Amino acid sequence: MPPVNDPAERHTLSMLVDNEPGVLARIVGLFSGRGYNIDSLTVSEVSHASHLSRITVVTTGAPMIIEQIKSQLDRLVPVHRVVDLTVVGKAVERELALIKVRGKGEIRQEALLIADSFRARTVDTTLESFVFEITGKPEKIDQFVSLLEPLGLVEVSRTGVAAIGRGPEGM
Amino acid sequence: MMREMTGAEMVMQALIDQDVEHMFGYPGGAVLPIYDAMFHQNQVKHILVRHEQGAVHMAEGYARSSGKVGVVLVTSGPGATNAVTGLTDALLDSIPLVCITGQVPTHLIGSDAFQECDTVGITRPCTKHNYLVRDINDLARVMHEAFYVAQNGRPGPVVVDIPKDVQFAKGMYVGPENIQHRTYQPRLKGDPEKIKAAVEMLAKARRPVLYTGGGVINSGPEASRVLREFARLSGYPVTSTLMGLGAFPASDRQWLGMLGMHGTYEANMAMHDCDVMLCIGARFDDRITGRLDAFSPGSKKIHIDIDPSSINKNVKVDLPIIGDVKHVLEDILTVWRGMKAEPDRKAIASWWSQIDKWRARKSLAFPSSTRIIKPQQAIKSLYEQVKDKDVYITTEVGQHQMWAAQHFHFEQPNRWMTSGGLGTMGYGLPAAIGVQVAHPESLVIDIAGEASIQMCLQELSTALQFDLPVKIFVLNNEYMGMVRQWQDLLHGGRYSHSYSESLPDFVKLAEAYGGVGIRCSNPADLDGAIHEMLSVNRPVLFDCLVDKTENVLPMIPSGKPHNEMIMPDHPEALDDAIDEEGKMLV
Ligand SMILES: Cc1cc2nc3c(=O)[nH]c(=O)nc-3n(C[C@H](O)[C@H](O)[C@H](O)COP(=O)(O)OP(=O)(O)OC[C@H]3O[C@@H](n4cnc5c(N)ncnc54)[C@H](O)[C@@H]3O)c2cc1C
Ligand SMILES: Cc1ncc(C[n+]2csc(CCOP(=O)(O)OP(=O)(O)O)c2C)c(N)n1
Ligand SMILES: [Mg+2]
């Protein structure tokens, strides 16, 4: 069987790109045009002076597809560098989420207790709602959200994954 | 050189500084300032086309036959959208182009202004790169960068979209001297360790094959020379994709013919049974591999390619070498000589005797006829009369294209232009015109089908206007023959809309344009008629009425491995060659 049918893996790719109009469209268009998955996408300028943005994409695919995605990204003209952080070694991956719950009485107490045990901060409070801020690995946030689900979860806003390699070297 | 000028003048100056001699275009409101700047100079000659798709194909033919960048100029909106087919064609076949498009003025962008379209949005997936120039101070740099990106690394089309106000604005022009791209610097030299490993694998091979492709042509004529040198030194057999024909001389004993779906039996069997495959600038396209899990199952594969995304895309290879064909092959030669590599001559001899047995199957044979012109015979007769001339061939898309690839033989690179990746009907005539612009003294022939030729036939008018005596050799089978063949193969011979109804009288049509029309239907008259075509120094449309029922063989049906080819001695096998899974494929 062609190796494309190998089991899918989850990889985090980080890239430095010229911060110019259309660069995000190029990257997103590449994923949709070639049928690759985007599980999460984070974009922000990291160097104002040199007009560089860092984009982090979490994607899933067979190893051969992941290799393809990396080479396809790498040949886009405004892309300076692409690193597969999953291959390079354990990277630090963090995501931030804002989560709103609504409720009264005991349910409120319960939500606060859970938030506390996840080290989430309360950033907005009314008599019938909270907004929590939590930072951590995506799985941790998933878990937090699922615990809040029965306690009046209203909405969730997540940043997507930011990632960086461990150790002294840059990408 | 720094000088103040308008954006439109900068465009022309940049073209001049990039040594552009010809461009292909069509005017409109959003590019009038550039046309005006063009009016004031006579270094760059402009070929006025009849449809923007034609302009892009002309630039492709020009580029592929000359090794230069092809240049296109079109207006905003419909001008840009008409160019899209050509741009996609150039992207898939790795042809270096710079296409300048006009755009509505910057303050109107996004307002659905007259003839506005999102050109960079539309062309993003069909160009190697594109630019929207909003600031006059970026224009000169972007123009030079566009030429750099188009021709370096894996070549491809680049669009530069210029709003009309930027064309009028004034700014400082910078020359190309100091423009170097910040990030895009493809590597040319292969990794020396890998080259050494490749030579070791190659020298030990007992059943080697060189699988060459369009990348050899892209790398330039020197690459073909080094390829020939390596083939001679090693004694190994050589095959090529449709895109690489001419890189290795067809008259050479080591030449196996084209491989793939309509390739020769010997080429495909050698690919299937080889123990070491050296892929040189080819991309394991599905027309080549057939069923992927049965593709050359026992071989170690080495892949030379300048584009890392071509590596392991469809087929996992054992030894990838990223680099330019010429550079890598030169290094392979040096290491081979340095190591005094000596292949196992006995093993190679017995490999050749196996190949000769496959050759003896004569997979390109076809029945002859004195009653009706066989399309294959038409190509052979044409070939016989022009082979000693300085000739360039372009094609449209369909059966005639495959017969041209099989029965016309090329000794040199850059002599064969065809739409391989996209398979664009309508490519051949404009491409031929572009070739003729680059090589005014040469013989240029578009081998066409009666359906394809109608897609860009209006460019005959361009040929007449600019005294470009291209020859259009139509294999008229009154069918979209390639479609009919697949309807035989997949749909029980139900020829749904594949008959070419209401054909024009091509002879009169040619005359209406001011060209020459010739018709031939009798095999006995064929040679004379071809001779007549060649003796006219004006555009000729040759309507060659051929057998309507002929199919292209041999053929690897889709979804089948290389060793299950349908051969001309058993054409009936076509009828139920493809299983349910294969039907999904194209
Ligand atoms: C009706 C029809 C039938 C067809 N049947 C066949 C068939 O039977 N057989 C066949 O072969 N084709 C056939 N084709 C063509 C086919 O679709 C592909 O276009 C073709 O096989 C691709 O050729 P290639 O692999 O040489 O790649 P190309 O498209 O020419 O790509 C070139 C490769 O070389 C690389 N490259 C470019 N420049 C360099 C450089 N300087 N150095 C190193 N590498 C470089 C590129 O990155 C790329 O990977 C058919 C097409 C049509 C329309
Ligand atoms: C623009 C475009 N539309 C449709 C097709 C699909 N197609 C491939 S070959 C073919 C028929 C070509 O007919 P003709 O030019 O007469 O060539 P023949 O196969 O008869 O030699 C068609 C419709 C295509 N390749 N390009
Ligand atoms: Mg036809």
Side-chain angles (χ1 to χ4, degrees):
Chain A
M1 267 304 163
V4 177
N5 295 343
D6 289 349
E9 296 173 357
R10 195 179 143 104
H11 283 240
T12 305
L13 307 180
S14 225
M15 64 206 105
L16 283 178
V17 305
D18 285 324
N19 183 13
E20 61 181 29
V23 65
L24 186 59
R26 270 180 223 288
I27 286 162
V28 173
L30 181 105
F31 275 80
S32 65
R34 292 186 182 265
Y36 306 143
N37 302 309
I38 298 184
D39 297 343
S40 147
L41 176 75
T42 318
V43 192
S44 195
E45 191 171 66
V46 289
S47 160
H48 188 62
S50 47
H51 295 290
L52 283 181
S53 286
R54 182 163 176 142
I55 298 184
T56 309
V57 186
V58 181
T59 181
T60 38
M64 217 166 130
I65 298 290
I66 302 278
E67 184 190 336
Q68 244 320 277
I69 295 176
K70 183 169 175 289
S71 336
Q72 290 289 353
L73 288 168
D74 223 348
R75 72 181 187 147
L76 295 177
V77 171
V79 171
H80 292 232
R81 220 167 129 47
V82 188
V83 174
D84 184 339
L85 289 173
T86 308
V87 167
V88 171
K90 286 227 171 300
V92 182
E93 296 191 6
R94 288 294 179 269
E95 190 175 0
L96 182 145
L98 296 171
I99 297 153
K100 184 179 288 182
V101 289
R102 176 179 199 157
K104 289 186 165 162
E106 238 172 72
I107 282 188
R108 261 169 92 74
Q109 273 318 107
E110 194 66 26
L112 273 179
L113 276 174
I114 293 173
D116 196 43
S117 72
F118 275 79
R119 293 181 217 277
R121 292 203 304 143
T122 308
V123 290
D124 180 66
T125 311
T126 69
L127 287 177
E128 53 168 334
S129 70
F130 291 117
V131 174
F132 298 124
E133 174 195 315
I134 178 171
T135 311
K137 291 189 186 155
E139 303 77 43
K140 175 177 163 187
I141 295 175
D142 291 346
Q143 214 188 349
F144 184 52
V145 170
S146 69
L147 284 172
L148 291 179
E149 194 103 45
L151 304 178
L153 181 71
V154 178
E155 59 179 346
V156 181
S157 173
R158 299 172 67 150
T159 57
V161 175
I164 203 158
R166 289 180 194 271
E169 303 302 329
M171 72 177 270
Chain B
M1 181 190 63
M2 296 270 276
R3 221 170 70 214
E4 196 189 52
M5 47 178 100
T6 67
E9 287 164 349
M10 282 189 196
V11 169
M12 291 314 297
Q13 190 59 48
L15 296 180
I16 291 167
D17 288 347
Q18 291 288 342
D19 296 324
V20 173
E21 289 173 73
H22 297 96
M23 65 197 294
F24 305 88
Y26 206 80
V31 282
L32 284 184
I34 300 177
Y35 272 87
D36 195 48
M38 189 189 300
F39 196 77
H40 290 100
Q41 59 85 49
N42 48 22
Q43 272 164 283
V44 185
K45 292 177 195 63
H46 176 270
I47 309 292
L48 177 67
V49 303
R50 300 298 181 266
H51 185 295
E52 289 86 351
Q53 180 184 351
V56 186
H57 294 323
M58 285 180 205
E60 287 186 274
Y62 184 89
R64 187 77 168 180
S65 67
S66 69
K68 298 183 66 173
V69 176
V71 180
V72 176
L73 173 61
V74 298
T75 192
S76 66
T81 55
N82 271 351
V84 164
T85 300
L87 293 169
T88 313
D89 192 88
L91 181 71
L92 279 167
D93 284 347
S94 303
I95 313 284
L97 300 184
V98 170
C99 175
I100 299 158
T101 55
Q103 183 55 277
V104 301
T106 35
H107 69 277
L108 289 181
I109 288 179
S111 70
D112 296 328
F114 178 61
Q115 296 198 325
E116 176 184 3
C117 73
D118 177 7
T119 300
V120 284
I122 291 170
T123 61
R124 201 173 282 129
C126 64
T127 51
K128 182 174 172 185
H129 193 49
N130 62 15
Y131 302 85
L132 168 62
V133 186
R134 288 170 169 277
D135 183 345
I136 181 73
N137 296 312
D138 292 333
L139 182 56
R141 175 185 56 81
V142 166
M143 283 296 297
H144 299 307
E145 233 180 71
F147 277 85
Y148 173 84
V149 171
Q151 60 194 318
N152 281 282
R154 180 179 184 166
V158 177
V159 161
V160 182
D161 196 28
I162 313 177
K164 196 168 179 181
D165 54 330
V166 176
Q167 299 171 33
F168 277 121
K170 284 199 164 177
M172 294 307 272
Y173 175 81
V174 287
E177 303 80 42
N178 299 317
I179 306 258
Q180 218 213 2
H181 202 275
R182 278 199 298 162
T183 54
Y184 188 71
Q185 274 147 21
R187 77 186 268 183
L188 298 176
K189 290 290 247 182
D191 175 346
E193 286 303 310
K194 293 198 164 164
I195 286 173
K196 202 164 145 262
V199 172
E200 278 162 7
M201 269 163 80
L202 284 163
K204 278 200 228 113
R206 303 173 62 82
R207 299 184 310 281
V209 67
L210 309 187
Y211 152 41
T212 68
V216 185
I217 312 284
N218 288 133
S219 180
E222 265 301 287
S224 296
R225 196 193 55 71
V226 196
L227 168 67
R228 290 160 193 222
E229 201 175 331
F230 179 66
R232 200 125 316 131
L233 194 65
S234 61
Y236 295 169
V238 184
T239 179
S240 166
T241 66
L242 184 73
M243 298 310 290
L245 296 179
F248 193 75
S251 59
D252 197 292
R253 209 195 80 83
Q254 283 166 250
W255 172 242
L256 303 183
M258 181 175 83
L259 81 162
M261 183 173 272
H262 293 299
T264 66
Y265 186 62
E266 53 271 33
N268 286 323
M269 289 303 288
M271 289 287 282
H272 188 269
D273 284 3
C274 66
D275 68 344
V276 175
M277 175 189 299
L278 176 60
C279 169
I280 311 173
R283 56 183 172 87
F284 294 92
D285 183 81
D286 52 54
R287 299 296 92 161
I288 302 306
T289 57
R291 207 171 96 197
L292 271 176
D293 58 355
F295 173 69
S296 192
S299 64
K300 289 266 181 229
K301 300 173 186 72
I302 309 169
H303 186 181
I304 305 171
D305 204 295
I306 203 160
D307 179 357
S309 80
S310 284
I311 306 279
N312 293 340
K313 178 157 61 182
N314 307 319
V315 171
K316 188 115 188 114
V317 297
D318 301 277
L319 182 62
I321 304 177
I322 309 287
D324 168 66
V325 167
K326 181 194 95 148
H327 287 85
V328 174
L329 280 185
E330 271 174 351
D331 290 349
I332 286 184
L333 268 174
T334 311
V335 174
W336 179 285
R337 292 204 168 104
M339 284 179 21
K340 299 207 173 12
E342 193 46 50
D344 181 342
R345 292 291 166 198
K346 232 176 101 199
I348 301 300
S350 83
W351 178 227
W352 272 112
S353 73
Q354 173 61 64
I355 290 172
D356 286 336
K357 280 187 206 131
W358 290 325
R359 266 185 181 155
R361 287 287 307 267
K362 298 209 176 308
S363 61
L364 298 181
F366 59 91
S368 66
S369 168
T370 50
R371 195 179 44 81
I372 189 164
I373 300 177
K374 287 283 178 185
Q376 302 95 324
Q377 185 57 51
I379 304 283
K380 279 195 135 168
S381 303
L382 178 69
Y383 173 67
E384 285 306 323
Q385 288 202 43
V386 304
K387 65 180 179 192
D388 296 323
K389 296 186 195 293
D390 170 20
V391 63
Y392 292 81
I393 300 291
T394 70
T395 75
E396 306 289 337
V397 170
Q399 293 183 315
H400 61 276
Q401 176 189 27
M402 292 298 111
W403 285 317
Q406 293 174 335
H407 298 283
F408 202 102
H409 307 294
F410 296 89
E411 300 295 309
Q412 297 296 335
N414 307 92
R415 297 276 171 167
W416 162 250
M417 336 298 132
T418 196
S419 169
L422 196 62
T424 312
M425 294 169 69
Y427 166 88
L429 172 58
I433 292 173
V435 173
Q436 190 83 76
V437 169
H439 308 276
E441 303 305 324
S442 308
L443 173 62
V444 185
I445 306 173
D446 170 28
I447 295 177
E450 85 294 335
S452 296
I453 194 61
Q454 295 187 76
M455 287 218 173
C456 283
L457 186 59
Q458 70 282 359
E459 301 304 338
L460 200 46
S461 176
T462 308
L464 263 299
Q465 180 183 347
F466 292 92
D467 288 326
L468 301 164
V470 293
K471 309 290 180 271
I472 308 166
F473 191 70
V474 180
L475 297 185
N476 184 347
N477 53 9
E478 290 181 24
Y479 274 100
M480 299 170 197
M482 189 55 94
V483 173
R484 184 189 49 65
Q485 176 163 348
W486 280 68
Q487 288 172 332
D488 276 332
L489 210 62
L490 293 182
H491 300 287
R494 292 180 296 279
Y495 298 152
S496 181
H497 295 270
S498 55
Y499 182 65
S500 290
E501 281 283 349
S502 309
L503 281 175
D505 179 333
F506 282 114
V507 171
K508 281 195 190 149
L509 192 53
E511 288 164 358
Y513 274 104
V516 176
I518 297 175
R519 179 170 297 122
C520 182
S521 58
N522 184 350
D525 300 338
L526 184 58
D527 282 335
I530 292 175
H531 185 78
E532 186 188 339
M533 168 178 88
L534 298 175
S535 63
V536 180
N537 191 25
R538 292 199 337 198
V540 179
L541 202 164
F542 189 117
D543 186 17
C544 188
L545 304 178
V546 298
D547 190 345
K548 303 183 194 14
T549 60
E550 197 63 44
N551 282 330
V552 181
L553 290 174
M555 175 171 194
I556 306 175
S558 42
K560 295 283 180 180
H562 281 170
N563 56 356
E564 289 183 34
M565 288 194 93
I566 300 172
M567 300 289 279
D569 44 3
H570 290 289
E572 69 287 352
L574 264 185
D575 293 340
D576 47 13
I578 297 188
D579 51 26
E580 283 304 313
E581 214 177 314
K583 274 191 186 175
M584 302 297 168
L585 307 170
V586 287

